[in-house]
Amino acid sequence: MCDEPAQRVPPRDHAGWLALARTTASGPDVDDPDGRHAGRPQSRGAEALRRAGLFALPIPARHGGGGATWRTAFQVVREVAAANGDLGLLLGHHYLLSWTPALHGTEEDRARVWPVAAAGRRLWGGATDPRDTSPTLAPRPHGGFTLDGTTAITSGAALADRLAVGATRAGTGEPLVVLVDPAARGVARAEGGAGGASSGTVLFSGAAVSEHDVIGRPGPASTALMAPAVQMVFAQLYLGIAEGALGAARAHAVARSRPWPFGQARRTGGDAYLAGAYGGLLAQVRAARALADRAADDLAPALLGAAAGPQSAEGAEGAAPPDVRYRETAVLVATAKIAAAQASLAVASRVFELAGPDSARTAPGLARFWRYAKTLHDPVAHRQAEVGREFLTGEFPPERKAPP
């Protein structure tokens, strides 16, 4: 964990945060043009994001954070993913997990946890699936708890300063959300797994947990919000990969000294075949981006509202259940995820053909985008089935439910 003193991150406007993200992503510690570090935990890249102040971006300014909107946070993930898909995934999960005190906790939890996280520029990791409550939380005789068990796909496990994980209270079976210091005794991290380069398995063996670190239990509203929020991160990740691949392919095409011999063009940019192919890909990516931005605008107020105060609306008389209240947003987010995934896969595959026989070499760096797009662990087929079922039957059940 970074314990050195840090200046408070000043609030910036939307354009300022995106400019900072682009500058940071283009730096040597984040950008990986030859794909040499793809698929590996990248501590130097994570430190670059930390130094830039991007970790504290969505934390409210009154708690020492950047005070940015969720629309900004999602687009910052996209900017980073355009340069490095592994770090884009790490950052996206970090933003959602750092929002744990808002989704599951109280105002007192937020006032206690967020200022420390912002001042220490902490990187959050954890398990976002509320069904994964395999670790057991047992009371200790003199206060506090011990945590035992394993979390399988733990986002950011290799690099995180703070973990937010699901656990089951011993004796009652109550599902809870717990904050854990990954450097504490009784916590062991193993790299690897299907959740990305920095994800892996975390083993808890008698790890001490204070009463203040038990944030709460996953409620209907927080569970209904987390599902589309995770899908929105993937939509932004796919879009960033597609935009990064197009940018690298364009730079390669423009730098080519001679056009194709049978293209009947004096320069590469004037080749009608290449121009038409790139125009089609660009239209697909821009359409997916517009849909994702609209979905983010629908989702952002609900995420922000979670931090406004206790989730009293869950039990308010006459209030619609969260599954119904957020249903339209969830369908829109799932649709955006499908469009972004299809655009990303189309671009990442087609650029090899358009760039020519030297496209597989290290210099263009195109292979990294294909790897990013093809190795994400969340299959888009499930999103297609959910959206199609809603269209045919009107049913759209929550894709993830916390245990009863």
Side-chain angles (χ1 to χ4, degrees):
M1 184 177 68
C2 181
D3 293 322
E4 63 182 86
Q7 293 183 349
R8 182 164 295 188
V9 179
R12 297 178 172 87
D13 60 13
H14 179 78
W17 281 116
L18 293 188
L20 177 63
R22 291 190 194 103
T23 301
T24 306
S26 63
D29 291 334
V30 174
D31 193 17
D32 186 22
D34 58 6
R36 186 175 304 171
H37 302 294
R40 306 175 189 176
Q42 298 176 47
S43 58
R44 288 180 57 187
E47 286 303 312
L49 299 178
R50 189 198 306 274
R51 290 193 304 270
L54 291 173
F55 284 167
L57 182 150
I59 294 178
R62 67 180 181 276
H63 293 298
T69 67
W70 273 100
R71 179 187 176 100
T72 299
F74 287 133
Q75 291 192 20
V76 164
V77 170
R78 185 193 308 172
E79 293 290 342
V80 174
N84 189 315
D86 289 328
L87 286 174
L89 180 60
L90 178 74
L91 185 63
H93 280 151
H94 158 78
Y95 284 155
L96 294 184
L97 290 163
S98 70
W99 208 244
T100 297
L103 291 172
H104 306 295
T106 64
E107 180 57 36
E108 290 74 19
D109 292 324
R110 295 187 274 277
R112 183 179 65 256
V113 174
W114 272 342
V116 177
R121 299 170 292 177
R122 284 178 169 175
L123 170 62
W124 288 60
T128 59
D129 190 342
R131 298 172 303 179
D132 186 6
T133 54
S134 57
T136 301
L137 197 67
R140 301 173 69 179
H142 303 291
F145 303 86
T146 57
L147 188 63
D148 293 274
T150 303
T151 60
I153 300 177
T154 308
S155 305
L159 301 174
D161 306 311
R162 196 69 163 163
L163 297 175
V165 299
T168 301
R169 188 183 181 106
T172 66
E174 179 187 11
L176 298 167
V177 178
V178 181
L179 304 185
V180 185
D181 180 358
R185 178 181 297 180
V187 182
R189 298 184 278 188
E191 298 175 5
S198 299
S199 298
T201 298
V202 180
L203 174 65
F204 303 102
S205 180
V209 175
S210 72
E211 294 181 0
H212 288 312
D213 287 331
V214 180
I215 294 296
R217 64 171 295 162
S222 60
T223 303
L225 274 176
M226 181 57 78
V230 171
Q231 296 309 312
M232 178 52 61
V233 166
F234 276 99
Q236 300 298 335
L237 183 65
Y238 277 122
L239 282 170
I241 293 168
E243 292 176 352
L246 280 176
R250 180 187 182 277
H252 180 63
V254 171
R256 186 184 297 151
S257 59
R258 294 181 300 173
W260 293 110
F262 302 107
Q264 297 181 347
R266 295 183 178 180
R267 56 190 178 88
T268 300
D271 188 304
Y273 166 73
L274 287 179
Y278 278 120
L281 293 176
L282 190 61
Q284 190 173 357
V285 172
R286 286 177 174 173
R289 182 171 60 196
L291 182 58
D293 286 345
R294 179 187 167 191
D297 286 343
D298 271 21
L299 179 62
L303 288 172
L304 184 61
Q311 298 179 21
S312 58
E314 290 186 20
E317 185 177 353
D323 297 344
V324 176
R325 198 158 68 241
Y326 302 129
R327 173 176 159 176
E328 185 176 344
T329 296
V331 174
L332 183 58
V333 170
T335 306
K337 157 72 178 297
I338 295 168
Q342 292 174 341
S344 182
L345 291 170
V347 171
S349 301
R350 190 77 192 281
V351 290
F352 289 105
E353 174 191 346
L354 300 177
D358 58 346
S359 60
R361 295 177 183 173
T362 302
L366 299 181
R368 58 177 169 148
F369 299 106
W370 184 88
R371 190 201 68 82
Y372 292 144
K374 292 292 288 186
T375 57
L376 292 179
H377 72 282
D378 192 41
V380 72
H382 295 303
R383 305 288 84 75
Q384 291 175 326
E386 290 168 356
V387 173
R389 182 171 59 246
E390 194 276 338
F391 174 71
L392 293 173
T393 68
E395 299 175 0
F396 194 81
E399 54 191 85
R400 297 178 181 179
K401 288 185 177 180

